[in-house]
Amino acid sequence: MKSPIHHIALVICACCISFSTYSQEDTTSTNAGIELNRPMLELGVGTFNYFGDVGKLNGIGSTSHLNWGYRIAFKNQLSNSFNADLFFLFGSITANERLVDNDVNFESKIRMGGLSISYNFNALLPEDRKVTPYISLGIASYDFSTKSDLYDAQGRFYNYWDDGSIRDIAQNDPNAGNAVEIQRDYDYETDLRKFSDREGDYDLRAVTIPVGIGAELEMTPSFTLRLGTEFHIGLSDNLDNINDDSYESTRSGNDHFMYSSIGLAYNLKHKKKAPKESFLPMSEDLLALEYEDEDQDGIADIIDHCPGTPAEADVDEFGCPLDGDKDGVPDYLDLEPNSVADAKVNSDGVALTDEEISAMYKAYLSDSGEMTYVKSATYTADLKLKRKISQSNGYRVTILDSDDLSSDEIASLLSIKDVKFIETASGGQYYLGTYQSLTEAVEKQMMVYQFDTEIEHLVDGQATMVGQEDIAGVMEGIDASHIDPDVVVFRVQIGAYRYRLSKDVFKEVPDLLVIEGNDGLTRYVSGSFYTIQEAAEHKVDLLLKGFEGAFVTAYRGGKRIKLKEAGATVNSKENIEAKESGQINKDLVKYTVKIGAFEGRVPAETLGEFMNLGGVRPVRNTDGITTYVYGMYNSFEEAEHTARVLKEDGFEDAEVVGDFNGKIIDADEAKKIKGE
């Protein structure tokens, strides 16, 4: 016949399987953003209270002991009101009763495993509570080994005399006069089942029915504190090795015990991360985006770290030109493809000789002032310091009153696909164009009639204003009815912020519009498209650049409209009212230490100091100035410490700046983006 523990093991295994099945079903069926049920792991400590024969034998006294027990449990939610606990309990139960001529004592070590179901009153109590009461009922099986303290450390049997002493010889022994008084050592060394010759009478396994009550306190979303008591209704009368026939005064019934404990549970629940908002309704577009390769180097644009690679350049798995000797000059431009490791080279990849390096220092020491830092055409764009809005010939429409625009004016402006933006000393300037004919420019001007505008004629980059008489003459021949007010223009809004961000944050963003509204928000918008597929692809590109808050917007007839009205498939509710938005990937925002900035030339001594310091990297700014920075840090404090050390080492201009995806920004701006 199988023992009770076999039956309990089968029950526990069945419950484990149900736990697993429940979690798998939940994971499969749960939508994004919904918590998935996972077990809670609890560790607890408490004490046992014994309710059995010892202490009820009508002796002259009994002693209570502090019996420690330790609990491990895996808790899983079955429903809103019921939880299942798979628990394991370890500890010992000790009791002692002094009889007239004897002493009954035992210690039984407990190893228990069981399952309980608890009810938490969720259906009856308010949801916004911190403390949750519960009741529980379960079944458990335990192993026990009952031993007694019958001998001292020298192996002498305890004999209890009428005077209350313990001696090594019995009181009625003929040699009792030679008895020596001894003390108990409380080492439970004797197996009571063997000592009483009851090895075949009972098994050292038993079953209990635990009935519990308690409360749980939610300390944090991850940790819960539990206080509770379980009364274990025993189905065995052998825990203390005493049954109904052992003593005349033995009580009838089984041995029970109570376990009172405190436990700390860690919540393993997690939220399935919601997928980022997507407006790519067609799988064909996604497939095309995945395999698009503009520079034809065999690396898809979506993972190409170096877009626009020349056709003659061999590239690595990231689409970047190979550099076999690791000198910073790609192989297709390197005139010395096998330079010595760590050699200092010029822009052609040719190692600098000692004489050339020495000449650089001498040029500085002689105050010649002719030392020019030669920049690699591969990594530094040869930009002019002063840019003109356009070097093309034609006509453009300039919008004059573009400050503090209302939401209607912003929508009207963004409805026009050709609107452009250029940074100026006073903030920025919007314009439409450039158009080859005055008629095209006048048609565009008619579309922005609510703005104060003027038309400029560009010839070799020089602009002259077109007179009103010329404009009026052209307007007489324009049929305004052919201008389609129902054309939808899609754009990608990067964000709307309460503070203006540096232009260097958006260095790699094409067709950027910076719009300041009278609601205190500065909007950053990129691109203009006639199809949502094009806009969605552009949004993906911006997401990859770190602008995680980018989303597609639609405009028609001078107003912003919902994407659903524009013909897109949208699964969530749209809110097109103006509000603060936008999120930049904080992981791409670091701190670095700026140690110098030069407009095209670096003093030879300074260049030598940079070389000796090591780890200095140049960053070309949009204004043509090259900034030299050192190190990369996750916290402002680390960078600030490095800046102090560099100042002590002679780099007096060292200061902390931000780095966003390889672009230098102000340190305070980096703090804003990181939320510090």
Side-chain angles (χ1 to χ4, degrees):
M1 181 176 180
K2 292 185 178 180
S3 66
I5 195 168
H6 289 93
H7 299 287
I8 300 303
L10 290 175
V11 173
I12 292 174
C13 290
C15 293
C16 289
I17 294 172
S18 67
F19 280 10
S20 175
T21 304
Y22 179 79
S23 293
Q24 291 175 12
E25 291 175 353
D26 185 75
T27 302
T28 304
S29 59
T30 302
N31 293 327
I34 303 299
E35 285 191 348
L36 303 179
N37 287 321
R38 293 290 185 271
M40 296 175 67
L41 173 63
E42 180 187 292
L43 301 178
V45 62
T47 59
F48 288 105
N49 288 327
Y50 160 75
F51 298 90
D53 298 297
V54 178
K56 304 291 177 59
L57 301 176
N58 297 326
I60 61 177
S62 61
T63 305
S64 59
H65 295 265
L66 188 61
N67 302 307
W68 289 104
Y70 306 93
R71 187 175 189 267
I72 301 174
F74 295 93
K75 309 163 72 70
N76 202 72
Q77 184 177 354
L78 299 178
S79 69
N80 185 48
S81 298
F82 290 93
N83 295 320
D85 287 18
L86 179 64
F87 65 88
F88 303 92
L89 193 57
F90 311 91
S92 60
I93 295 177
T94 306
N96 183 91
E97 184 175 2
R98 178 68 183 268
L99 305 181
V100 174
D101 58 353
N102 195 6
D103 184 86
V104 179
N105 64 77
F106 80 94
E107 179 186 68
S108 187
K109 294 188 180 298
I110 303 292
R111 296 179 300 277
M112 176 182 293
L115 175 73
S116 66
I117 305 297
S118 63
Y119 175 70
N120 57 24
F121 301 95
N122 270 346
L124 305 176
L125 299 176
E127 293 184 2
D128 57 345
R129 67 186 185 278
K130 287 292 185 181
V131 178
T132 300
Y134 71 87
I135 56 176
S136 65
L137 178 66
I139 186 169
S141 174
Y142 68 96
D143 294 341
F144 62 94
S145 58
T146 305
K147 296 186 177 182
S148 181
D149 181 17
L150 302 181
Y151 300 89
D152 69 2
Q154 283 75 42
R156 294 176 293 183
F157 186 79
Y158 299 136
N159 294 277
Y160 295 88
W161 287 34
D162 293 342
D163 60 2
S165 65
I166 305 174
R167 301 176 183 267
D168 62 348
I169 300 176
Q171 185 173 344
N172 57 2
D173 190 279
N175 298 318
N178 298 324
V180 176
E181 188 171 345
I182 58 178
Q183 301 292 328
R184 279 189 61 186
D185 59 6
Y186 294 93
D187 179 17
Y188 297 86
E189 76 290 325
T190 304
D191 187 330
L192 282 176
R193 198 172 64 149
K194 291 182 179 180
F195 183 81
S196 58
D197 197 22
R198 298 183 61 196
E199 291 184 83
D201 290 353
Y202 63 88
D203 197 1
L204 295 178
R205 300 182 183 89
V207 175
T208 70
I209 306 296
V211 180
I213 186 172
E216 294 180 341
L217 170 64
E218 184 180 354
M219 303 172 62
T220 71
S222 297
F223 290 96
T224 299
L225 186 68
R226 182 192 58 80
L227 295 172
T229 296
E230 286 181 341
F231 189 84
H232 287 255
I233 302 173
L235 303 185
S236 170
D237 191 25
N238 297 305
L239 179 64
D240 49 18
N241 195 53
I242 299 175
N243 57 26
D244 295 347
D245 301 326
S246 300
Y247 295 89
E248 291 183 3
S249 59
T250 302
R251 67 172 184 81
S252 61
N254 296 326
D255 297 326
H256 314 298
F257 54 87
M258 185 167 64
Y259 179 66
S260 302
S261 65
I262 181 171
L264 184 64
Y266 176 67
N267 194 340
L268 301 178
K269 292 181 181 179
H270 71 283
K271 284 188 176 182
K272 185 177 179 182
K273 188 175 180 180
K276 294 179 179 178
E277 179 187 17
S278 175
F279 293 101
L280 297 178
M282 299 175 63
S283 59
E284 293 83 356
D285 298 314
L286 287 172
L287 191 62
L289 179 62
E290 181 180 0
Y291 292 104
E292 185 176 356
D293 181 13
E294 186 176 356
D295 56 8
Q296 300 296 311
D297 60 359
I299 306 298
D301 290 345
I302 197 170
I303 59 171
D304 197 333
H305 291 191
C306 300
T309 306
E312 67 270 20
D314 294 327
V315 300
D316 59 18
E317 66 269 25
F318 301 110
C320 293
L322 295 178
D323 181 11
D325 54 7
K326 308 297 183 185
D327 61 357
V329 179
D331 291 345
Y332 78 97
L333 292 176
D334 201 334
L335 300 183
E336 187 180 86
N338 296 309
S339 300
V340 177
D342 299 324
K344 307 302 180 185
V345 300
N346 60 19
S347 59
D348 295 321
V350 178
L352 294 171
T353 64
D354 292 340
E355 291 76 13
E356 289 173 321
I357 296 176
S358 175
M360 295 171 66
Y361 281 97
K362 289 180 179 179
Y364 171 77
L365 295 175
S366 62
D367 293 327
S368 64
E370 297 299 325
M371 179 56 64
T372 300
Y373 176 61
V374 180
K375 299 172 289 298
S376 168
T378 304
Y379 301 106
T380 307
D382 188 14
L383 304 176
K384 294 185 178 180
L385 300 181
K386 296 183 179 180
R387 297 180 177 180
K388 297 181 180 179
I389 293 178
S390 175
Q391 295 292 347
S392 305
N393 295 328
Y395 298 88
R396 68 166 178 242
V397 180
T398 302
I399 298 174
L400 302 177
D401 52 345
S402 57
D403 295 332
D404 297 330
L405 300 179
S406 67
S407 58
D408 290 340
E409 289 173 329
I410 292 173
S412 178
L413 189 65
L414 294 178
S415 297
I416 305 168
K417 188 175 186 298
D418 301 337
V419 66
K420 306 291 183 183
F421 175 81
I422 187 72
E423 289 273 0
T424 64
S426 60
Q429 181 73 59
Y430 303 98
Y431 67 95
L432 311 180
T434 304
Y435 307 105
Q436 296 303 310
S437 69
L438 180 58
T439 300
E440 289 181 272
V442 173
E443 287 181 350
K444 295 297 181 180
Q445 187 183 43
M446 293 171 64
M447 295 176 65
V448 289
Y449 62 88
Q450 65 271 55
F451 295 99
D452 184 12
T453 61
E454 65 181 17
I455 297 178
E456 295 177 312
H457 186 204
L458 299 172
V459 178
D460 296 331
Q462 301 300 316
T464 58
M465 189 171 66
V466 178
Q468 291 299 319
E469 293 182 0
D470 294 333
I471 295 174
V474 172
M475 289 181 65
E476 293 178 359
I478 294 177
D479 180 10
S481 64
H482 80 276
I483 300 177
D484 187 0
D486 294 327
V487 172
V488 177
V489 174
F490 296 95
R491 297 185 181 275
V492 180
Q493 181 166 313
I494 299 172
Y497 304 93
R498 290 290 175 190
Y499 52 88
R500 191 182 181 103
L501 296 173
S502 165
K503 62 182 179 180
D504 285 320
V505 173
F506 305 97
K507 181 179 179 181
E508 297 180 1
V509 177
D511 300 326
L512 181 69
L513 297 178
V514 182
I515 304 172
E516 295 183 359
N518 58 12
D519 54 2
L521 297 177
T522 300
R523 295 162 179 80
Y524 295 86
V525 181
S526 175
S528 60
F529 311 93
Y530 284 134
T531 67
I532 192 171
Q533 287 80 9
E534 293 177 295
E537 291 178 9
H538 187 56
K539 172 194 166 184
V540 171
D541 185 51
L542 291 174
L543 292 176
L544 295 175
K545 286 182 169 66
F547 299 102
E548 296 184 342
F551 60 94
V552 177
T553 58
Y555 302 87
R556 181 175 62 200
K559 297 182 180 297
R560 181 177 173 184
I561 62 174
K562 294 182 178 180
L563 293 175
K564 191 172 183 180
E565 297 177 52
T569 302
V570 181
N571 296 324
S572 58
K573 186 177 180 181
E574 294 184 81
N575 181 9
I576 62 174
E577 294 183 4
K579 61 179 180 179
E580 188 171 4
S581 65
Q583 182 178 350
I584 295 176
N585 188 344
K586 297 179 182 179
D587 293 337
L588 299 179
V589 181
K590 309 288 185 182
Y591 296 99
T592 187
V593 180
K594 172 184 172 183
I595 56 176
F598 300 92
E599 191 173 324
R601 62 174 61 188
V602 182
E605 184 180 34
T606 302
L607 182 59
E609 291 173 350
F610 290 171
M611 291 179 177
N612 292 332
L613 180 60
V616 177
R617 56 191 176 91
V619 179
R620 184 66 179 263
N621 303 332
T622 54
D623 56 5
I625 294 178
T626 301
T627 300
Y628 291 84
V629 296
Y630 176 81
M632 192 74 77
Y633 308 93
N634 289 318
S635 70
F636 178 82
E637 290 72 19
E638 291 178 286
E640 191 175 37
H641 173 74
T642 300
R644 287 196 300 267
V645 173
L646 289 173
K647 284 185 178 182
E648 294 173 0
D649 290 343
F651 295 92
E652 298 179 356
D653 296 328
E655 62 173 321
V656 180
V657 295
D659 182 295
F660 172 62
N661 209 14
K663 299 176 287 292
I664 301 301
I665 60 177
D666 186 82
D668 290 335
E669 190 167 51
K671 289 181 180 180
K672 288 180 181 178
I673 295 175
K674 292 173 75 69
E676 298 178 353

